[in-house]
Amino acid sequence: MNTSAATTARTMWALYEPIHAVAYFAPEARAAYEDAGLRGFWRGYFAGRAAPLGPVGPEPVVAAFFSFAPAMVARALPDIWSLAAPERALELRRAGAAAALARLLAGHEREVERAAEALVPRAAGLDGSGRPLAAANGALDFPDKPVERLWHATTLLREHRGDGHVAALVAAGLDGCEALVLRSAMDLLRTELQPHRGWTDQEWEAATRRLTDRGLLAPDGAATEAAHELLRTAETATDRAAERPWRPLAPEQVTALVRLLTPLATACATALRFPNPIGLPKPTG
């Protein structure tokens, strides 16, 4: 394993994720969907994120998104395609993300250009094997405008890593609800996870019982050492699966890229809330 590249992969995720996530949380992005008739946060979310897959029903999205309750996904899909076909949803997410980034990164235009120049080579031509969301987004053309190129590059990198994370959790023997229950027993609030992923109390408690039977939760609901080790292993596997784009970078290139992306990530993070259901830490710098 290239430990340096895996470490870089984790460091970079914390910096490009806030840039990508404005497409869901920034007011400009939400307004783009709502103005097109996709009322409510989740219609826009599912339309924009699932659009690269085409006019799919709920089953492929449940599989690819992993942590969302099937019933929640089924409330949005496939009905949203009657409001905005995937091609239209892709236009809306691009326009909304670009408008949000133009506001959040005003005054950083040169840094945006440089960041796009640095990240596009890392994101272009990513291997999509076993990575449905990364592959679907990878089939889309890179936009011409720097701010849009930056957002698209961060989206490719984010979905590439996310697909690998799902594979690591599946290999750990976890389903979507169980993964959330474990995180809520460790470092994230249940209120930040369960309602935002659509699981009922009955489904949550059933997942808790399954984890307790496996020795991953104690009778009082606390995560056991076995649970901590299982998630550490999954996170290590996630970093390894995400390391390929970063292998060509020398240490000084990594340092320069961190320095370039940190103020952009910090600015974009103002459109997010902390804590959040993504599990994204607040950028420092």
Side-chain angles (χ1 to χ4, degrees), residues 222-284:
T224 64
E225 180 53 39
H228 284 277
E229 179 58 29
L230 182 145
L231 282 193
R232 279 195 296 268
T233 299
E235 291 297 331
T236 298
T238 298
D239 294 337
R240 292 180 62 186
E243 72 177 19
R244 184 174 295 189
W246 312 107
R247 287 176 188 162
L249 297 185
E252 61 271 18
Q253 291 175 301
V254 173
T255 299
L257 189 52
V258 169
R259 187 179 300 118
L260 174 62
L261 291 177
T262 295
L264 305 184
T266 302
C268 289
T270 62
L272 313 179
R273 57 185 174 82
F274 298 90
N276 53 70
I278 304 172
L280 178 70
K282 192 170 186 177
T284 58

Short mmCIF file of all heavy atoms in Angstrom, two decimals, residues 222-284:
data_model
loop_
_atom_site.label_atom_id
_atom_site.label_comp_id
_atom_site.label_asym_id
_atom_site.label_seq_id
_atom_site.Cartn_x
_atom_site.Cartn_y
_atom_site.Cartn_z
N ALA A 222 -23.48 1.46 23.44
CA ALA A 222 -22.14 2.00 23.15
C ALA A 222 -21.41 1.10 22.16
O ALA A 222 -21.59 -0.12 22.15
CB ALA A 222 -21.34 2.11 24.44
N ALA A 223 -20.60 1.71 21.34
CA ALA A 223 -19.79 0.96 20.38
C ALA A 223 -18.69 0.20 21.11
O ALA A 223 -18.02 0.74 21.98
CB ALA A 223 -19.19 1.89 19.35
N THR A 224 -18.52 -1.06 20.76
CA THR A 224 -17.48 -1.88 21.36
C THR A 224 -16.15 -1.65 20.64
O THR A 224 -16.10 -1.02 19.58
CB THR A 224 -17.85 -3.36 21.29
OG1 THR A 224 -17.90 -3.76 19.91
CG2 THR A 224 -19.21 -3.63 21.95
N GLU A 225 -15.09 -2.19 21.21
CA GLU A 225 -13.79 -2.08 20.55
C GLU A 225 -13.82 -2.78 19.21
O GLU A 225 -13.17 -2.35 18.25
CB GLU A 225 -12.70 -2.68 21.43
CG GLU A 225 -11.31 -2.60 20.82
CD GLU A 225 -10.92 -1.19 20.37
OE1 GLU A 225 -11.25 -0.22 21.09
OE2 GLU A 225 -10.30 -1.06 19.29
N ALA A 226 -14.57 -3.87 19.10
CA ALA A 226 -14.71 -4.56 17.82
C ALA A 226 -15.33 -3.64 16.77
O ALA A 226 -14.95 -3.67 15.59
CB ALA A 226 -15.55 -5.83 17.99
N ALA A 227 -16.29 -2.83 17.18
CA ALA A 227 -16.92 -1.89 16.25
C ALA A 227 -15.92 -0.83 15.80
O ALA A 227 -15.85 -0.48 14.61
CB ALA A 227 -18.12 -1.22 16.91
N HIS A 228 -15.15 -0.30 16.74
CA HIS A 228 -14.16 0.70 16.38
C HIS A 228 -13.13 0.12 15.41
O HIS A 228 -12.73 0.78 14.46
CB HIS A 228 -13.46 1.23 17.65
CG HIS A 228 -14.30 2.19 18.43
ND1 HIS A 228 -14.40 3.53 18.12
CD2 HIS A 228 -15.09 2.00 19.52
CE1 HIS A 228 -15.20 4.13 18.98
NE2 HIS A 228 -15.64 3.22 19.84
N GLU A 229 -12.72 -1.11 15.65
CA GLU A 229 -11.74 -1.75 14.77
C GLU A 229 -12.34 -2.00 13.39
O GLU A 229 -11.68 -1.81 12.36
CB GLU A 229 -11.27 -3.07 15.39
CG GLU A 229 -10.26 -3.82 14.53
CD GLU A 229 -9.01 -3.01 14.22
OE1 GLU A 229 -8.63 -2.14 15.05
OE2 GLU A 229 -8.41 -3.23 13.15
N LEU A 230 -13.61 -2.42 13.35
CA LEU A 230 -14.27 -2.66 12.07
C LEU A 230 -14.33 -1.38 11.24
O LEU A 230 -14.02 -1.39 10.04
CB LEU A 230 -15.67 -3.21 12.32
CG LEU A 230 -16.50 -3.58 11.09
CD1 LEU A 230 -17.37 -4.80 11.37
CD2 LEU A 230 -17.40 -2.42 10.66
N LEU A 231 -14.70 -0.27 11.86
CA LEU A 231 -14.79 0.98 11.10
C LEU A 231 -13.42 1.53 10.76
O LEU A 231 -13.25 2.14 9.70
CB LEU A 231 -15.62 2.01 11.86
CG LEU A 231 -17.13 1.81 11.81
CD1 LEU A 231 -17.85 3.06 12.34
CD2 LEU A 231 -17.64 1.52 10.40
N ARG A 232 -12.44 1.32 11.63
CA ARG A 232 -11.08 1.73 11.27
C ARG A 232 -10.61 0.98 10.03
O ARG A 232 -10.00 1.57 9.12
CB ARG A 232 -10.12 1.47 12.44
CG ARG A 232 -10.13 2.54 13.51
CD ARG A 232 -8.92 2.41 14.43
NE ARG A 232 -8.92 1.16 15.18
CZ ARG A 232 -9.44 1.01 16.39
NH1 ARG A 232 -10.03 2.05 17.00
NH2 ARG A 232 -9.38 -0.16 17.01
N THR A 233 -10.91 -0.30 9.98
CA THR A 233 -10.54 -1.10 8.82
C THR A 233 -11.26 -0.62 7.57
O THR A 233 -10.66 -0.52 6.48
CB THR A 233 -10.87 -2.58 9.07
OG1 THR A 233 -10.13 -3.04 10.21
CG2 THR A 233 -10.51 -3.44 7.87
N ALA A 234 -12.54 -0.29 7.70
CA ALA A 234 -13.30 0.21 6.55
C ALA A 234 -12.78 1.56 6.07
O ALA A 234 -12.69 1.81 4.86
CB ALA A 234 -14.78 0.32 6.91
N GLU A 235 -12.42 2.43 7.00
CA GLU A 235 -11.88 3.73 6.61
C GLU A 235 -10.51 3.59 5.94
O GLU A 235 -10.21 4.30 4.97
CB GLU A 235 -11.77 4.65 7.83
CG GLU A 235 -13.11 5.09 8.41
CD GLU A 235 -13.93 5.93 7.44
OE1 GLU A 235 -13.33 6.62 6.58
OE2 GLU A 235 -15.17 5.88 7.52
N THR A 236 -9.70 2.67 6.43
CA THR A 236 -8.41 2.42 5.79
C THR A 236 -8.61 1.89 4.38
O THR A 236 -7.91 2.31 3.44
CB THR A 236 -7.59 1.41 6.62
OG1 THR A 236 -7.33 1.96 7.91
CG2 THR A 236 -6.27 1.08 5.94
N ALA A 237 -9.57 0.98 4.21
CA ALA A 237 -9.86 0.45 2.88
C ALA A 237 -10.39 1.55 1.96
O ALA A 237 -10.06 1.59 0.77
CB ALA A 237 -10.88 -0.68 2.99
N THR A 238 -11.18 2.47 2.51
CA THR A 238 -11.68 3.59 1.72
C THR A 238 -10.53 4.46 1.23
O THR A 238 -10.49 4.85 0.05
CB THR A 238 -12.65 4.44 2.57
OG1 THR A 238 -13.77 3.64 2.95
CG2 THR A 238 -13.15 5.65 1.79
N ASP A 239 -9.60 4.76 2.11
CA ASP A 239 -8.45 5.58 1.72
C ASP A 239 -7.61 4.87 0.65
O ASP A 239 -7.15 5.51 -0.31
CB ASP A 239 -7.59 5.89 2.94
CG ASP A 239 -8.29 6.78 3.95
OD1 ASP A 239 -9.22 7.50 3.54
OD2 ASP A 239 -7.90 6.76 5.13
N ARG A 240 -7.43 3.58 0.80
CA ARG A 240 -6.65 2.83 -0.18
C ARG A 240 -7.36 2.83 -1.53
O ARG A 240 -6.71 2.98 -2.58
CB ARG A 240 -6.43 1.40 0.30
CG ARG A 240 -5.52 1.27 1.50
CD ARG A 240 -5.36 -0.17 1.91
NE ARG A 240 -4.73 -0.97 0.86
CZ ARG A 240 -4.59 -2.30 0.94
NH1 ARG A 240 -5.04 -2.95 2.00
NH2 ARG A 240 -4.01 -2.95 -0.04
N ALA A 241 -8.68 2.67 -1.52
CA ALA A 241 -9.43 2.65 -2.77
C ALA A 241 -9.43 4.01 -3.46
O ALA A 241 -9.63 4.09 -4.67
CB ALA A 241 -10.86 2.20 -2.51
N ALA A 242 -9.21 5.07 -2.68
CA ALA A 242 -9.26 6.43 -3.23
C ALA A 242 -7.88 6.99 -3.54
O ALA A 242 -7.76 8.13 -3.98
CB ALA A 242 -9.96 7.37 -2.24
N GLU A 243 -6.83 6.21 -3.35
CA GLU A 243 -5.48 6.77 -3.44
C GLU A 243 -4.96 6.95 -4.86
O GLU A 243 -4.05 7.74 -5.10
CB GLU A 243 -4.50 5.91 -2.65
CG GLU A 243 -4.18 4.58 -3.30
CD GLU A 243 -3.13 3.79 -2.53
OE1 GLU A 243 -2.90 4.07 -1.35
OE2 GLU A 243 -2.53 2.88 -3.13
N ARG A 244 -5.51 6.22 -5.84
CA ARG A 244 -4.91 6.21 -7.17
C ARG A 244 -4.75 7.60 -7.79
O ARG A 244 -3.69 7.88 -8.37
CB ARG A 244 -5.71 5.29 -8.11
CG ARG A 244 -5.08 5.15 -9.48
CD ARG A 244 -5.80 4.13 -10.35
NE ARG A 244 -5.67 2.79 -9.81
CZ ARG A 244 -6.06 1.69 -10.47
NH1 ARG A 244 -6.59 1.82 -11.67
NH2 ARG A 244 -5.91 0.50 -9.92
N PRO A 245 -5.75 8.49 -7.71
CA PRO A 245 -5.56 9.81 -8.33
C PRO A 245 -4.40 10.61 -7.73
O PRO A 245 -3.87 11.52 -8.40
CB PRO A 245 -6.89 10.52 -8.07
CG PRO A 245 -7.87 9.45 -7.77
CD PRO A 245 -7.09 8.37 -7.11
N TRP A 246 -4.00 10.28 -6.51
CA TRP A 246 -3.01 11.09 -5.80
C TRP A 246 -1.61 10.50 -5.84
O TRP A 246 -0.65 11.14 -5.42
CB TRP A 246 -3.47 11.27 -4.35
CG TRP A 246 -4.89 11.69 -4.27
CD1 TRP A 246 -5.95 10.92 -3.89
CD2 TRP A 246 -5.45 12.94 -4.65
NE1 TRP A 246 -7.13 11.61 -4.00
CE2 TRP A 246 -6.85 12.87 -4.47
CE3 TRP A 246 -4.90 14.13 -5.13
CZ2 TRP A 246 -7.71 13.93 -4.74
CZ3 TRP A 246 -5.75 15.20 -5.40
CH2 TRP A 246 -7.13 15.09 -5.21
N ARG A 247 -1.46 9.28 -6.35
CA ARG A 247 -0.15 8.64 -6.38
C ARG A 247 0.91 9.44 -7.13
O ARG A 247 2.07 9.45 -6.71
CB ARG A 247 -0.27 7.24 -7.00
CG ARG A 247 -0.95 6.21 -6.12
CD ARG A 247 -1.09 4.90 -6.86
NE ARG A 247 -1.90 3.93 -6.12
CZ ARG A 247 -2.45 2.86 -6.66
NH1 ARG A 247 -2.29 2.62 -7.97
NH2 ARG A 247 -3.17 2.04 -5.93
N PRO A 248 0.57 10.10 -8.25
CA PRO A 248 1.62 10.80 -8.99
C PRO A 248 2.17 12.04 -8.28
O PRO A 248 3.20 12.58 -8.72
CB PRO A 248 0.93 11.21 -10.31
CG PRO A 248 -0.27 10.33 -10.42
CD PRO A 248 -0.70 10.10 -9.01
N LEU A 249 1.52 12.51 -7.22
CA LEU A 249 1.93 13.77 -6.60
C LEU A 249 3.11 13.57 -5.66
O LEU A 249 3.11 12.69 -4.80
CB LEU A 249 0.76 14.38 -5.82
CG LEU A 249 -0.47 14.78 -6.62
CD1 LEU A 249 -1.47 15.47 -5.71
CD2 LEU A 249 -0.12 15.66 -7.80
N ALA A 250 4.10 14.43 -5.82
CA ALA A 250 5.22 14.47 -4.88
C ALA A 250 4.78 15.20 -3.61
O ALA A 250 3.80 15.97 -3.63
CB ALA A 250 6.41 15.20 -5.52
N PRO A 251 5.48 14.99 -2.49
CA PRO A 251 5.08 15.64 -1.24
C PRO A 251 4.94 17.15 -1.35
O PRO A 251 4.01 17.74 -0.79
CB PRO A 251 6.19 15.25 -0.27
CG PRO A 251 6.69 13.95 -0.79
CD PRO A 251 6.60 14.05 -2.28
N GLU A 252 5.83 17.80 -2.08
CA GLU A 252 5.73 19.25 -2.21
C GLU A 252 4.51 19.66 -3.03
O GLU A 252 3.94 20.73 -2.80
CB GLU A 252 7.01 19.82 -2.82
CG GLU A 252 7.35 19.32 -4.21
CD GLU A 252 8.21 18.06 -4.20
OE1 GLU A 252 8.26 17.38 -3.16
OE2 GLU A 252 8.83 17.78 -5.25
N GLN A 253 4.09 18.81 -3.97
CA GLN A 253 2.87 19.10 -4.72
C GLN A 253 1.63 18.96 -3.84
O GLN A 253 0.69 19.74 -3.97
CB GLN A 253 2.77 18.16 -5.93
CG GLN A 253 3.80 18.40 -7.01
CD GLN A 253 3.72 17.37 -8.11
OE1 GLN A 253 3.87 16.17 -7.88
NE2 GLN A 253 3.46 17.83 -9.33
N VAL A 254 1.65 17.98 -2.96
CA VAL A 254 0.54 17.82 -2.02
C VAL A 254 0.44 19.04 -1.11
O VAL A 254 -0.65 19.59 -0.89
CB VAL A 254 0.73 16.53 -1.18
CG1 VAL A 254 -0.34 16.46 -0.09
CG2 VAL A 254 0.67 15.31 -2.07
N THR A 255 1.57 19.47 -0.60
CA THR A 255 1.59 20.65 0.28
C THR A 255 1.04 21.87 -0.44
O THR A 255 0.24 22.63 0.12
CB THR A 255 3.02 20.92 0.77
OG1 THR A 255 3.48 19.79 1.51
CG2 THR A 255 3.07 22.16 1.64
N ALA A 256 1.45 22.07 -1.69
CA ALA A 256 0.98 23.22 -2.45
C ALA A 256 -0.52 23.13 -2.72
O ALA A 256 -1.24 24.14 -2.66
CB ALA A 256 1.75 23.33 -3.76
N LEU A 257 -1.01 21.93 -3.00
CA LEU A 257 -2.43 21.77 -3.28
C LEU A 257 -3.27 21.99 -2.02
O LEU A 257 -4.34 22.61 -2.09
CB LEU A 257 -2.69 20.38 -3.85
CG LEU A 257 -4.09 20.09 -4.40
CD1 LEU A 257 -4.52 21.17 -5.40
CD2 LEU A 257 -4.14 18.71 -5.04
N VAL A 258 -2.80 21.51 -0.89
CA VAL A 258 -3.49 21.77 0.37
C VAL A 258 -3.56 23.27 0.63
O VAL A 258 -4.61 23.81 1.02
CB VAL A 258 -2.79 21.05 1.54
CG1 VAL A 258 -3.34 21.53 2.88
CG2 VAL A 258 -2.97 19.54 1.40
N ARG A 259 -2.46 23.95 0.41
CA ARG A 259 -2.42 25.40 0.62
C ARG A 259 -3.39 26.12 -0.32
O ARG A 259 -4.04 27.09 0.07
CB ARG A 259 -1.00 25.90 0.42
CG ARG A 259 -0.80 27.37 0.78
CD ARG A 259 0.63 27.80 0.58
NE ARG A 259 1.55 27.01 1.41
CZ ARG A 259 2.50 26.23 0.92
NH1 ARG A 259 2.68 26.11 -0.38
NH2 ARG A 259 3.30 25.57 1.74
N LEU A 260 -3.51 25.63 -1.55
CA LEU A 260 -4.40 26.25 -2.53
C LEU A 260 -5.86 25.99 -2.20
O LEU A 260 -6.70 26.90 -2.28
CB LEU A 260 -4.07 25.69 -3.92
CG LEU A 260 -4.98 26.12 -5.08
CD1 LEU A 260 -4.94 27.63 -5.29
CD2 LEU A 260 -4.58 25.38 -6.35
N LEU A 261 -6.19 24.76 -1.82
CA LEU A 261 -7.59 24.39 -1.62
C LEU A 261 -8.17 24.83 -0.27
O LEU A 261 -9.38 25.01 -0.15
CB LEU A 261 -7.76 22.87 -1.75
CG LEU A 261 -7.55 22.26 -3.12
CD1 LEU A 261 -7.67 20.74 -3.06
CD2 LEU A 261 -8.57 22.83 -4.12
N THR A 262 -7.32 24.99 0.74
CA THR A 262 -7.82 25.29 2.08
C THR A 262 -8.70 26.53 2.14
O THR A 262 -9.82 26.47 2.69
CB THR A 262 -6.67 25.39 3.08
OG1 THR A 262 -6.03 24.11 3.18
CG2 THR A 262 -7.17 25.80 4.46
N PRO A 263 -8.30 27.69 1.60
CA PRO A 263 -9.20 28.85 1.68
C PRO A 263 -10.47 28.66 0.85
O PRO A 263 -11.53 29.18 1.23
CB PRO A 263 -8.35 30.00 1.13
CG PRO A 263 -7.26 29.36 0.36
CD PRO A 263 -6.99 28.05 1.02
N LEU A 264 -10.42 27.90 -0.23
CA LEU A 264 -11.62 27.64 -1.02
C LEU A 264 -12.58 26.75 -0.25
O LEU A 264 -13.79 27.00 -0.21
CB LEU A 264 -11.25 27.00 -2.36
CG LEU A 264 -10.24 27.74 -3.24
CD1 LEU A 264 -10.05 27.02 -4.57
CD2 LEU A 264 -10.68 29.18 -3.48
N ALA A 265 -12.04 25.71 0.37
CA ALA A 265 -12.88 24.82 1.17
C ALA A 265 -13.49 25.56 2.36
O ALA A 265 -14.66 25.36 2.70
CB ALA A 265 -12.06 23.62 1.66
N THR A 266 -12.70 26.42 2.99
CA THR A 266 -13.19 27.17 4.13
C THR A 266 -14.33 28.10 3.74
O THR A 266 -15.34 28.21 4.46
CB THR A 266 -12.05 27.97 4.76
OG1 THR A 266 -11.00 27.07 5.16
CG2 THR A 266 -12.52 28.76 5.97
N ALA A 267 -14.19 28.74 2.59
CA ALA A 267 -15.25 29.62 2.11
C ALA A 267 -16.51 28.84 1.77
O ALA A 267 -17.63 29.26 2.11
CB ALA A 267 -14.76 30.40 0.88
N CYS A 268 -16.36 27.70 1.11
CA CYS A 268 -17.53 26.90 0.75
C CYS A 268 -18.21 26.29 1.97
O CYS A 268 -19.43 26.09 1.97
CB CYS A 268 -17.11 25.81 -0.23
SG CYS A 268 -16.69 26.40 -1.87
N ALA A 269 -17.43 26.02 3.01
CA ALA A 269 -18.00 25.42 4.22
C ALA A 269 -18.99 26.33 4.91
O ALA A 269 -19.81 25.87 5.70
CB ALA A 269 -16.88 25.04 5.18
N THR A 270 -18.96 27.62 4.60
CA THR A 270 -19.94 28.53 5.21
C THR A 270 -21.35 28.24 4.71
O THR A 270 -22.32 28.70 5.33
CB THR A 270 -19.57 30.00 4.92
OG1 THR A 270 -19.60 30.24 3.51
CG2 THR A 270 -18.20 30.34 5.47
N ALA A 271 -21.48 27.50 3.60
CA ALA A 271 -22.80 27.13 3.10
C ALA A 271 -23.31 25.85 3.74
O ALA A 271 -24.45 25.46 3.51
CB ALA A 271 -22.75 26.95 1.58
N LEU A 272 -22.48 25.20 4.55
CA LEU A 272 -22.83 23.95 5.19
C LEU A 272 -23.07 24.18 6.68
O LEU A 272 -22.83 25.26 7.19
CB LEU A 272 -21.71 22.92 5.00
CG LEU A 272 -21.14 22.77 3.59
CD1 LEU A 272 -20.02 21.74 3.58
CD2 LEU A 272 -22.23 22.41 2.60
N ARG A 273 -23.54 23.15 7.35
CA ARG A 273 -23.66 23.23 8.79
C ARG A 273 -22.83 22.12 9.41
O ARG A 273 -22.60 21.07 8.81
CB ARG A 273 -25.12 23.13 9.23
CG ARG A 273 -25.85 21.88 8.79
CD ARG A 273 -27.31 21.94 9.19
NE ARG A 273 -28.09 20.83 8.67
CZ ARG A 273 -28.14 19.63 9.23
NH1 ARG A 273 -27.46 19.41 10.32
NH2 ARG A 273 -28.87 18.66 8.71
N PHE A 274 -22.38 22.37 10.61
CA PHE A 274 -21.54 21.43 11.34
C PHE A 274 -22.09 21.25 12.75
O PHE A 274 -22.34 22.26 13.43
CB PHE A 274 -20.09 21.94 11.38
CG PHE A 274 -19.47 22.07 10.02
CD1 PHE A 274 -19.59 23.26 9.31
CD2 PHE A 274 -18.80 21.00 9.44
CE1 PHE A 274 -19.03 23.38 8.04
CE2 PHE A 274 -18.24 21.12 8.18
CZ PHE A 274 -18.35 22.31 7.48
N PRO A 275 -22.35 20.00 13.17
CA PRO A 275 -22.16 18.75 12.44
C PRO A 275 -23.16 18.60 11.31
O PRO A 275 -24.16 19.32 11.24
CB PRO A 275 -22.35 17.68 13.52
CG PRO A 275 -23.29 18.33 14.49
CD PRO A 275 -22.92 19.78 14.52
N ASN A 276 -22.89 17.64 10.43
CA ASN A 276 -23.74 17.41 9.26
C ASN A 276 -23.84 15.92 8.98
O ASN A 276 -23.03 15.13 9.46
CB ASN A 276 -23.15 18.14 8.05
CG ASN A 276 -21.69 17.79 7.83
OD1 ASN A 276 -21.37 16.67 7.43
ND2 ASN A 276 -20.80 18.75 8.09
N PRO A 277 -24.86 15.51 8.22
CA PRO A 277 -25.06 14.09 7.96
C PRO A 277 -23.98 13.47 7.07
O PRO A 277 -23.90 12.24 6.95
CB PRO A 277 -26.44 14.02 7.28
CG PRO A 277 -26.67 15.38 6.75
CD PRO A 277 -25.98 16.32 7.68
N ILE A 278 -23.15 14.30 6.44
CA ILE A 278 -22.05 13.79 5.61
C ILE A 278 -20.93 13.25 6.50
O ILE A 278 -20.13 12.41 6.07
CB ILE A 278 -21.51 14.89 4.68
CG1 ILE A 278 -22.63 15.46 3.82
CG2 ILE A 278 -20.39 14.37 3.79
CD1 ILE A 278 -22.20 16.68 3.01
N GLY A 279 -20.84 13.76 7.71
CA GLY A 279 -19.71 13.42 8.57
C GLY A 279 -18.48 14.24 8.23
O GLY A 279 -17.36 13.89 8.62
N LEU A 280 -18.68 15.34 7.52
CA LEU A 280 -17.56 16.18 7.08
C LEU A 280 -17.09 17.06 8.23
O LEU A 280 -17.87 17.77 8.85
CB LEU A 280 -18.01 17.06 5.92
CG LEU A 280 -17.00 18.05 5.36
CD1 LEU A 280 -15.89 17.31 4.64
CD2 LEU A 280 -17.68 19.03 4.40
N PRO A 281 -15.78 17.03 8.53
CA PRO A 281 -15.27 17.92 9.57
C PRO A 281 -15.16 19.35 9.06
O PRO A 281 -15.01 19.57 7.85
CB PRO A 281 -13.88 17.34 9.87
CG PRO A 281 -13.46 16.70 8.59
CD PRO A 281 -14.73 16.15 7.98
N LYS A 282 -15.24 20.30 9.94
CA LYS A 282 -15.12 21.70 9.55
C LYS A 282 -13.70 21.99 9.15
O LYS A 282 -12.76 21.65 9.87
CB LYS A 282 -15.53 22.61 10.72
CG LYS A 282 -15.72 24.06 10.33
CD LYS A 282 -16.36 24.85 11.45
CE LYS A 282 -16.69 26.26 11.02
NZ LYS A 282 -17.37 27.02 12.10
N PRO A 283 -13.49 22.59 7.97
CA PRO A 283 -12.11 22.90 7.55
C PRO A 283 -11.43 23.83 8.53
O PRO A 283 -12.05 24.71 9.12
CB PRO A 283 -12.30 23.56 6.18
CG PRO A 283 -13.64 23.14 5.71
CD PRO A 283 -14.47 22.98 6.94
N THR A 284 -10.15 23.62 8.69
CA THR A 284 -9.35 24.50 9.53
C THR A 284 -8.36 25.24 8.66
O THR A 284 -7.79 24.67 7.73
CB THR A 284 -8.60 23.69 10.59
OG1 THR A 284 -7.76 22.72 9.95
CG2 THR A 284 -9.57 23.00 11.54
#
